[in-house]
Amino acid sequence: MTETLAQVTVRILDREYRVACPADEERDLLASTDLLNKKMREIRQTGKVVGLDRIAVMAALNLANELLKVRGQDQALKNIVDLRIKSMRELLDSALEPVKNFAP
């Protein structure tokens, strides 16, 4: 099965780029473009970083850092949920233990 590709024109810092992506991911591409464009504009407005390449690298580093933080938070939440599930199982097992002992 061949995947249908969409040709999408995106605009980042007043420059247009033509990008191919799976047709069903076009909305995600546009949302990603919007996020990247906002991040690059923020960096450019500080005046501390000059040049499109450097702004792009700084934006990529900032976004990667945010992603890693979110992944860490997700892992922490997963660990908490896993501990709660384990605790609930133990509680259920101890509550059902008397019923198991009465089985014929």
Side-chain angles (χ1 to χ4, degrees), residues 12 20 22 31 43-44 49 65 73 80-82 87-88 92 98:
I12 301 171
I43 292 168
R44 184 175 67 180
V49 182
N65 183 43
Q73 291 169 351
I80 290 169
V81 169
D82 288 346
S87 174
M88 290 168 65
L92 277 171

Side-chain angles (χ1 to χ4, degrees), residues 7-69:
Q7 293 293 322
V8 183
T9 301
V10 297
R11 190 172 195 82
I12 301 171
L13 285 185
D14 304 320
R15 294 177 110 180
E16 286 189 354
Y17 301 89
R18 192 122 172 98
V19 181
C21 73
D24 61 341
E25 294 181 18
E26 185 174 345
R27 183 179 296 174
D28 293 337
L29 173 63
L30 294 173
S32 298
T33 299
D34 186 50
L35 177 63
L36 178 59
N37 192 39
K38 286 178 183 175
K39 187 65 74 176
M40 289 178 69
R41 284 185 186 283
E42 287 173 11
I43 292 168
R44 184 175 67 180
Q45 287 173 354
T46 67
K48 296 177 183 177
V49 182
V50 178
L52 184 61
D53 290 348
R54 289 177 184 250
I55 291 171
V57 168
M58 290 305 298
L61 288 171
N62 288 339
L63 290 169
N65 183 43
E66 290 173 19
L67 174 64
L68 291 175
K69 285 180 182 178

Side-chain angles (χ1 to χ4, degrees), residues 80-96:
I80 290 169
V81 169
D82 288 346
L83 285 173
R84 288 187 179 172
I85 289 172
K86 180 181 177 190
S87 174
M88 290 168 65
R89 281 186 180 152
E90 290 170 354
L91 184 62
L92 277 171
D93 286 344
S94 66
L96 293 174

